[in-house]
Amino acid sequence: MSVTGAPPAPPAGDGAPGPAPRTPSVRRRLVPYWLLLPGILWLLVFFALPMVYQASTSVQTGSLEEGFEVTWHFGTYLDALAGYHPQFVRSLLYAGTATLLCLLLGYPLAYLIAFKAGRWRSLLLVLVIAPFFTSFLIRTLAWKTILADGGTAVGLLDSLHVLDVTAWLGWTEGDRVLATPMAVVCGLTYNFLPFMILPLYTSLDRIDHRLHEAAGDLYATPATTFRKVTFPLSMPGVVSGTLLTFIPASGDYVNAELLGSTDTKMVGSVIQSQFLRVLDYPTAAALSFILMAVVLLVVTLYIRRSGTEDLV
Amino acid sequence: MRLLRSLRRHLVVIAGLLTLAYMILPNLVVMVFSFNDPKGRFNYAWQTFSLDAWKDPCGVPGLCASLSVSLWTAGLATVGATVLGTMIAFALVRYRFRARGAVNSLVFLPMAMPEVVMAASLLTLFLNMGAELGFRTVLIAHIMFCIGFVVTAVKARVMSMDPRLEEAARDLYAGPVQTFLRVTLPIAAPGIAAGALLAFALSFDDFIITNFNAGSTVTFPMFVWGSAQRGTPVQINVIGTAMFVLAVAVVVLGRTVSGRRKARAEK
């Protein structure tokens, strides 16, 4: 709705009860800027400006004792990549796998809530959001109990010979799940599932049910209906769910630290320890910029491919 | 054969419910282990039933202090982010102006950035400015990353609002302030409330950005993180369970109240 072009005030004293007098148009035109000013200023100072500072930090050299100085030393980027590319690859791999698992696990639940839940719908939605209410760190720690060595879950996976397969793939070690890549991916999947389910649900909920009936009338099997009608129409949800899962998962280090081992460290852990423990700010800043660039690149390519550029 | 066929027909329901079980399982574990009496420092293996932790939730040094820090941070961050975010949302929906695209991306970007990147960049800013890390820097950070979510929630609501209602109010000689307070705000309220709730939840639960910018201030998530290294007291599970039960109760209560109101309105 455009409100900028306010109609001129009616000539005074024409007797008729015309519309209430409006504020002068110059003042009206400034209204949006006054509304934006505080919030945008906040974001500029505490989001955009920090990025600039980080960029400058990443090309500095020096040490904490002697102080840092901008020397345009781009070698930090190369050193960071050379030193930590395993963590980068791992982060993208784990985040990608977790995103895929979230999609596979989340789609049926979103579908169930959107089309089959009936009067249970609002209860199921509450149950999807409910886990949020317990601090995510506490819930992640609970996975330590669930995946404990010799516990029920591990025993079940073992007797189903799942562990044989995952061990062969290198996702688990022997009869352990904790402190292996599988535990980290399991935690990531768990943590970001709601971010996949909610957008999926929203876009499935928008689908006109008569389209399904029409597909059925045209002799489409349920599988064909899903492939040709439901899934394509849910693409906006798939895309935004994937992004909402992949982006935070790629920078996460909580799961890797709590459920993994030193062999499962992700790039977030490296950035964290470089910044807070090693105090090598240039390397940390460079790493964090590379992560940002890689994520932006992956996301742009993904959005290009899935063809919903108007989404973001 | 019959079993197999009905299994296939209900495949979506079964898969969906299994996912739900996967999502709820840790909450149940947290709940059950709040009644545990662990041997040693860590509460990961079941020993014996005990109510001790429930009787004395603040019995661990630092836990309840961290909880109050988190509640204060989340409360203030919610107020700040809701006010700033609502204003931006109104400007974006109601007005056409230059730099609209730029504003849109500035609001969207913080939500599309890995948290650790934002956390690290904020830290470089604070270090460069020589700011003292603590409650204030945490609050600044939390307001920053909550604004986008408030904007999204409020925008969705205001966009679906009929502008003719406000025109009608003006036609009935309501001043701009009156129109805003009596018409616009009540209609936008559910969106603002949703944004505020989201901001509170995000701020209360945030760990990564807080960990970078808190200095020696300890929020509840940071306390939990530290306890994962030093020893996890059962009280953590008590707080987690209490939060869960309280929040679910509020949601259920809210739904029944709004349901009743709707029923009354339809009468």
Side-chain angles (χ1 to χ4, degrees):
Chain A
M1 258 314 284
S2 168
V3 200
T4 38
D14 61 358
R22 315 228 159 156
T23 29
S25 75
V26 177
R27 249 177 79 194
R28 273 196 84 80
R29 222 174 292 146
L30 283 176
V31 170
Y33 297 104
W34 285 117
L35 283 172
L36 287 170
L37 190 68
I40 293 306
L41 214 57
W42 200 283
L43 289 176
L44 280 175
V45 175
F46 298 118
F47 175 74
L49 187 64
M51 293 292 164
V52 177
Y53 268 103
Q54 194 167 30
S56 112
T57 306
S58 70
V59 289
Q60 290 174 348
T61 42
S63 68
L64 198 62
E65 293 81 35
E66 293 157 20
F68 293 97
E69 218 179 313
V70 178
T71 51
W72 301 105
H73 180 71
F74 287 100
T76 315
Y77 280 88
L78 295 177
D79 295 343
L81 261 182
Y84 298 106
H85 68 270
Q87 282 86 342
F88 268 111
V89 174
R90 217 177 275 142
S91 295
L92 297 178
L93 194 66
Y94 290 179
T97 315
T99 308
L100 201 64
L101 284 172
C102 278
L103 186 61
L104 290 176
L105 291 174
Y107 208 103
L109 183 53
Y111 190 93
L112 170 69
I113 301 175
F115 296 128
K116 306 211 170 223
R119 61 198 180 92
W120 298 103
R121 174 191 284 228
S122 59
L123 175 75
L124 287 180
L125 271 178
V126 169
L127 284 177
V128 168
I129 310 168
F132 266 122
F133 297 135
T134 303
S135 170
F136 85 101
L137 281 167
I138 306 184
R139 287 181 283 127
T140 309
L141 283 176
W143 280 103
K144 277 195 136 156
T145 305
I146 300 169
L147 298 175
D149 299 344
T152 323
V154 174
L156 189 72
L157 290 176
D158 200 20
S159 63
L160 290 172
H161 296 286
V162 174
L163 289 190
D164 297 343
V165 180
T166 50
W168 179 75
L169 285 170
W171 289 97
T172 53
E173 279 159 40
D175 51 2
R176 296 199 70 189
V177 174
L178 218 54
T180 65
M182 188 160 132
V184 179
V185 171
C186 171
L188 286 171
T189 309
Y190 167 75
N191 262 317
F192 298 109
L193 245 177
F195 297 97
M196 178 66 87
I197 291 172
L198 293 175
L200 278 179
Y201 163 74
T202 319
S203 69
L204 283 172
D205 193 43
R206 277 196 208 126
I207 297 177
D208 192 335
H209 213 70
R210 285 171 297 183
L211 288 173
H212 290 158
E213 288 162 18
D217 289 347
L218 295 166
Y219 298 103
T221 60
T224 316
T225 308
F226 178 77
R227 203 161 43 85
K228 296 261 183 179
V229 180
T230 316
F231 191 74
L233 285 175
S234 70
M235 258 332 257
V238 174
V239 173
S240 58
T242 315
L243 295 180
L244 283 175
T245 319
F246 178 78
I247 297 172
S250 62
D252 181 83
Y253 58 86
V254 172
N255 286 284
E257 293 272 314
L258 292 183
L259 302 172
S261 66
T262 43
D263 296 332
T264 61
K265 274 214 191 311
M266 292 167 69
V267 70
S269 330
V270 182
I271 297 176
Q272 195 244 158
S273 76
Q274 290 289 326
F275 250 118
L276 303 180
R277 264 179 265 159
V278 186
L279 305 179
D280 180 356
Y281 299 134
T283 304
L287 279 168
S288 135
F289 256 108
I290 299 172
L291 174 65
M292 189 173 88
V294 170
V295 167
L296 282 180
L297 188 74
V298 171
V299 167
T300 324
L301 286 177
Y302 174 73
I303 294 180
R304 277 271 167 79
R305 262 200 74 99
S306 52
T308 37
E309 272 166 88
D310 54 350
L311 191 89
V312 290
Chain B
M1 206 49 224
R2 225 215 209 134
L3 183 81
L4 218 69
R5 216 197 287 145
S6 80
L7 209 72
R8 246 183 65 189
R9 264 189 53 196
H10 298 291
L11 199 63
V12 176
V13 180
I14 295 166
L17 291 179
L18 280 176
T19 303
L20 203 60
Y22 175 71
M23 293 176 74
I24 303 285
L25 182 65
N27 286 68
L28 295 180
V29 170
V30 171
M31 209 178 274
V32 169
F33 275 74
S34 73
F35 298 106
N36 190 20
D37 183 16
K39 295 197 170 47
R41 290 181 301 140
F42 291 99
N43 184 20
Y44 299 142
W46 179 258
Q47 303 290 337
T48 48
F49 182 86
S50 152
L51 279 174
D52 291 351
W54 278 95
K55 280 180 204 146
D56 186 19
C58 283
V60 191
L63 189 146
C64 282
S66 74
L67 202 60
S68 110
V69 170
S70 273
L71 286 172
W72 271 109
T73 317
L76 293 173
T78 303
V79 174
T82 307
V83 171
L84 299 179
T86 304
M87 286 164 71
I88 296 179
F90 267 97
L92 282 176
V93 179
R94 284 306 175 76
Y95 300 91
R96 301 271 154 238
F97 49 88
R98 253 184 274 166
R100 223 163 153 272
V103 168
N104 256 324
S105 14
L106 186 62
V107 170
F108 173 77
L109 268 175
M111 296 190 283
M113 192 72 66
E115 247 192 290
V116 74
V117 175
M118 272 194 289
S121 66
L122 252 180
L123 181 61
T124 56
L125 175 81
F126 290 142
L127 287 174
N128 275 298
M129 292 195 325
E132 198 187 323
L133 297 179
F135 184 75
R136 262 180 295 174
T137 48
V138 171
L139 190 58
I140 285 173
H142 283 207
I143 293 177
M144 181 271 286
F145 74 73
C146 286
I147 288 178
F149 293 92
V150 175
V151 172
T152 313
V154 178
K155 235 171 93 177
R157 178 78 192 179
V158 179
M159 267 206 269
S160 65
M161 218 165 120
D162 191 342
R164 282 172 300 183
L165 288 172
E166 286 161 308
E167 281 163 28
R170 275 198 292 269
D171 287 347
L172 295 166
Y173 294 105
V177 177
Q178 232 180 337
T179 310
F180 181 75
L181 288 180
R182 309 274 305 251
V183 179
T184 316
L185 205 58
I187 301 179
I192 299 175
L197 261 175
L198 196 61
F200 188 90
L202 287 170
S203 163
F204 190 85
D205 213 20
D206 180 74
F207 171 69
I208 295 181
I209 290 182
T210 316
N211 189 34
F212 270 78
N213 295 293
S216 57
T217 307
V218 178
T219 62
F220 182 63
M222 287 172 73
F223 183 89
V224 177
W225 174 261
S227 73
Q229 269 97 44
R230 294 186 310 267
T232 44
V234 188
Q235 276 81 351
I236 284 180
N237 291 48
V238 172
I239 306 284
T241 309
M243 270 159 55
F244 180 69
V245 172
L246 200 76
V248 172
V250 167
V251 171
V252 171
L253 207 76
R255 283 194 173 267
T256 31
V257 168
S258 73
R260 237 184 246 156
R261 212 179 271 164
K262 218 185 255 167
R264 216 188 299 152
E266 274 161 16
K267 252 183 217 169

